[in-house]
Amino acid sequence: MLVLVTGGAGFIGSHVIRALVETRHGVRVLDVRPPEPPQLPPGVAFVRGDVRDQAVVEEALRGVDAVCHQAAMVGLGRDFDDAPAYVGCNDLGTAVLLTALARLRVRELVLAGSMVYYGEGRYACARHGAVRPGPRQVVDLDAGRFEPVCPRCGDPLTPGLVPEDAPPDPRNVYAATKVAQEYLAAAWARATGGRAVALRYHNVYGPGMPRDTPYAGVASLFRSALARGEPPRVFEDGGQRRDFVHVADVAAANLAALDAVGAAIPAGTLRAYNVGSGSPHTVGEMATALSAACGGPEPVVTGEYRLGDVRHITASSSRLRKELGWLPQVPFAVGMREFAKAPLRGQASAPR
């Protein structure tokens, strides 16, 4: 099978490419920038261009059997001024790609989704059962009250795991674009008889993450600080729950999804899967693990916050395990020790 990987020169895309090559798939890459060293594996064709350029996309799609769409502008960003760039790269880019898929009759798509689809995660109130708290308020965050409370009674909540059928609840611009990408892909599948899988990544980390950019994930920001001899700066109180999943496991999930779109996914549909390790940890625990592996300095809990951040988001990956046979292979402690010594990418532009 010949697979086009958009954003293949990026962090996750480069790992997906290597996994595809190792399993003897043909691979073509479309990206706005050339790959950083190490170069692409032998036999991988590279097309340089923007996913928003219809002519370039159609050129890259010639003879392709399936597409693994990783190209996106990632992260929360700096402020709302980033909104046009996010919408243009993520949503317009996806629309252009889907139009080209329809024209060239390519019917199999794996889409890089995100846990931000859900907003705040699943919560339970002792009195009212499952509830969905609203956005956290500035007055509460300024006072150090970081935990969401029951929207009905104000009591504390217990966070839980979010299933794929939870409703979308995007809390920032990036999240809104990731939800829109899934809706566009679902519309394409219905209109063309295509098959799509949306992989809702959790907090992906591992070798080759970009460093020193506001668009990087928190693991990369902590790792970059430690490389400079500075302590990781942990926002809020460090108690934010996340699921840190190694990039090698994410690449394996993409392989499982590519197999599924050719067989297990019904024509005309999109099927979503959460991709997480299944072992939630707090941001503070992750910072501490990285600092210990690097030999310090210890993290500093700042009490600062970003208004678009959610408090807790961990989701169940049982659907991916049961339906596609995927299992994560890299435990948190092992992955963090590796990541503490792994090379990072140099300064990178936001889109990938």
Side-chain angles (χ1 to χ4, degrees):
M1 180 166 63
L2 177 59
V3 181
L4 174 66
V5 182
T6 70
F11 166 47
I12 296 175
S14 62
H15 285 268
V16 171
I17 288 167
R18 286 194 287 273
L20 286 167
V21 170
E22 289 171 1
T23 51
R24 301 184 182 278
H25 288 290
V27 182
R28 186 179 298 156
V29 173
L30 171 63
D31 206 306
V32 293
R33 67 184 183 203
E36 294 185 10
Q39 297 298 314
L40 295 174
V44 174
F46 179 77
V47 178
R48 186 169 186 178
D50 196 308
V51 74
R52 292 166 288 190
D53 186 327
Q54 188 81 40
V56 171
V57 172
E58 291 190 9
E59 173 194 347
L61 280 172
R62 302 288 179 188
V64 162
D65 300 300
V67 173
C68 190
H69 184 32
Q70 306 292 323
M73 186 171 177
V74 299
L76 182 57
R78 292 166 289 199
D79 52 44
F80 203 82
D81 285 345
D82 285 329
Y86 273 106
V87 174
C89 185
N90 295 357
D91 297 339
L92 176 59
T94 298
V96 170
L97 173 66
L98 294 171
T99 301
L101 291 177
R103 289 179 177 175
L104 275 68
R105 301 183 182 278
V106 179
R107 295 291 184 259
E108 298 177 6
L109 172 69
V110 175
L111 172 68
S114 175
M115 65 176 186
V116 296
Y117 180 98
Y118 304 112
E120 286 285 353
R122 167 173 279 189
Y123 291 86
C125 171
R127 286 200 283 173
H128 296 109
V131 296
R132 297 179 66 200
R136 296 184 294 172
Q137 302 300 308
V138 171
V139 63
D140 291 324
L141 296 170
D142 284 342
R145 295 188 294 268
F146 302 120
E147 293 290 342
V149 296
C150 177
R152 298 176 62 183
C153 67
D155 282 356
L157 298 174
T158 301
L161 301 179
V162 185
E164 286 88 349
D165 58 2
D169 187 19
R171 298 289 176 97
N172 54 61
V173 171
Y174 169 63
T177 66
K178 298 306 289 184
V179 172
Q181 281 186 301
E182 288 198 26
Y183 283 174
L184 288 166
W188 162 82
R190 286 193 298 271
T192 65
R195 295 175 169 89
V197 167
L199 297 176
R200 295 173 184 164
Y201 301 155
H202 280 250
N203 288 74
V204 186
Y205 74 96
M209 284 192 82
R211 59 183 172 89
D212 299 328
T213 164
Y215 301 92
V218 66
S220 174
L221 296 176
F222 289 171
R223 171 73 170 73
S224 296
L226 288 163
R228 297 191 299 269
E230 301 171 2
R233 294 177 59 82
V234 180
F235 279 15
E236 301 186 19
D237 60 1
Q240 309 94 303
R241 283 164 51 93
R242 298 290 188 268
D243 188 326
F244 298 98
V245 58
H246 195 276
V247 67
D249 288 329
V250 172
N254 276 270
L255 293 187
L258 284 166
D259 288 340
V261 294
I265 305 300
T269 63
L270 177 144
R271 185 73 164 157
Y273 295 93
N274 294 325
V275 183
S277 71
S279 300
H281 291 81
T282 68
V283 172
E285 288 171 344
M286 187 266 287
T288 298
L290 275 180
S291 293
C294 289
E298 294 184 359
V300 173
V301 178
T302 69
E304 298 173 86
Y305 65 86
R306 297 191 304 179
L307 190 58
D309 278 340
V310 298
R311 178 62 175 175
H312 304 297
I313 176 62
T314 56
S316 170
S317 298
S318 60
R319 176 187 287 184
L320 181 60
R321 299 179 187 220
K322 291 177 182 177
E323 294 186 7
L324 305 190
W326 173 87
L327 286 173
Q329 301 296 315
V330 184
F332 176 81
V334 174
M336 287 297 159
R337 286 196 298 270
E338 175 210 41
F339 182 54
K341 309 297 182 183
L344 301 179
R345 289 172 180 258
Q347 178 74 40
S349 58
R352 61 170 176 79

